[in-house]
Amino acid sequence: MSRAQFLREYKLAVIGSSGVGKTALTIQFTQGHFVAGYEPTIDESDRKLCVIDEEVAMLDILDTLSQEEYGAMWEQYMRMSDGFLLVYSITCRASFEEVSTPRQQILQVKDQTSFPIVIVANKCDLECERQVGMDEGRELAQRFGCKLMETSAKDRINVDEAFSDLVREIRKFNKQRQASQPVLTNSSGPGTYGRSKGDNARGDHGTCCSGCVVL
């Protein structure tokens, strides 16, 4: 009989202005093909099972509408997500300038000074239409204390890497948070604050962010 394995789930949200390629990035990552054109997303969620740094993970990816389109639902999606891809298009300066707003809202909703975020500069295949320089993106990422990834959903450039890097950031954030929490002793055995009995069975990894599924 094989040992039970725990599959870690990560809830990721893809956020950005209309037309930056959020849906194209998500579909390219989860389904492996490019969707040309833009259609407004209506609460679309995709799941993908993948291996990141030799650890199996289930990614639950929420492809959101922009804030102006989603209104009251915006905060709810922020609360339920473990990490965020903040997407802008290198061909649209306005989308770049708007990235700061959702980031600040994420920190407010999460009540944190930092949180797992990867900035995604999409449409790098359209170099001749570039309005936002790579150095500008790097400066923004440095100011936010997060990673920058220039991507192309069309040519599948750095798409997998962007999602994988976000999972790594979530794992690192959870590990740091767990290390800072007090150890509690209860009837179910040793554990750390805020973790369930099922979580304790996960061993030394302790990097699950939204729960585990027993396989």
Side-chain angles (χ1 to χ4, degrees), residues 187-214:
S187 59
S188 63
T192 57
Y193 179 78
R195 292 168 61 186
S196 67
K197 182 177 179 181
D199 290 333
N200 292 334
R202 279 176 275 158
D204 295 332
H205 295 287
T207 54
C208 182
C209 40
S210 60
C212 291
V213 177
V214 181

Side-chain angles (χ1 to χ4, degrees), residues 89-115:
S89 168
I90 69 164
T91 67
C92 178
R93 173 158 291 276
S95 69
F96 171 74
E97 294 172 347
E98 292 170 2
V99 166
S100 297
T101 299
R103 185 231 176 209
Q104 186 60 38
Q105 292 172 334
I106 290 167
L107 298 182
Q108 290 176 352
V109 168
K110 296 293 188 178
D111 192 23
Q112 300 284 339
T113 57
S114 64
F115 203 75

Side-chain angles (χ1 to χ4, degrees), residues 23 35-42 44 63 65:
T23 299
V35 177
Y38 172 75
E39 295 181 2
T41 309
I42 304 177
E44 293 184 356
D63 175 13
L65 289 170

Side-chain angles (χ1 to χ4, degrees), residues 50-138:
C50 55
V51 178
I52 300 173
D53 299 333
E54 301 183 351
E55 184 176 342
V56 180
M58 175 63 76
L59 307 189
D60 189 354
I61 305 167
L62 180 67
D63 175 13
T64 71
L65 289 170
S66 62
Q67 183 178 10
E68 61 270 18
E69 293 167 316
Y70 239 131
M73 297 294 290
W74 186 257
E75 185 172 319
Q76 177 181 339
Y77 287 128
M78 287 188 174
R79 289 189 183 280
M80 66 188 288
S81 299
D82 302 309
F84 301 85
L85 292 181
L86 298 189
V87 185
Y88 69 86
S89 168
I90 69 164
T91 67
C92 178
R93 173 158 291 276
S95 69
F96 171 74
E97 294 172 347
E98 292 170 2
V99 166
S100 297
T101 299
R103 185 231 176 209
Q104 186 60 38
Q105 292 172 334
I106 290 167
L107 298 182
Q108 290 176 352
V109 168
K110 296 293 188 178
D111 192 23
Q112 300 284 339
T113 57
S114 64
F115 203 75
I117 292 173
V118 171
I119 298 177
V120 175
N122 195 32
K123 304 188 181 183
C124 68
D125 55 292
L126 300 177
E127 184 63 35
C128 61
E129 301 178 29
R130 180 185 286 271
Q131 296 182 9
V132 182
M134 184 178 293
D135 289 343
E136 293 179 277
R138 289 172 177 164

Side-chain angles (χ1 to χ4, degrees), residues 166-180:
L166 180 54
V167 171
R168 294 185 182 103
E169 291 299 306
I170 294 171
R171 289 173 177 170
K172 181 170 67 175
F173 177 82
N174 288 339
K175 184 176 181 180
Q176 292 172 345
R177 182 174 59 181
Q178 290 164 3
S180 66

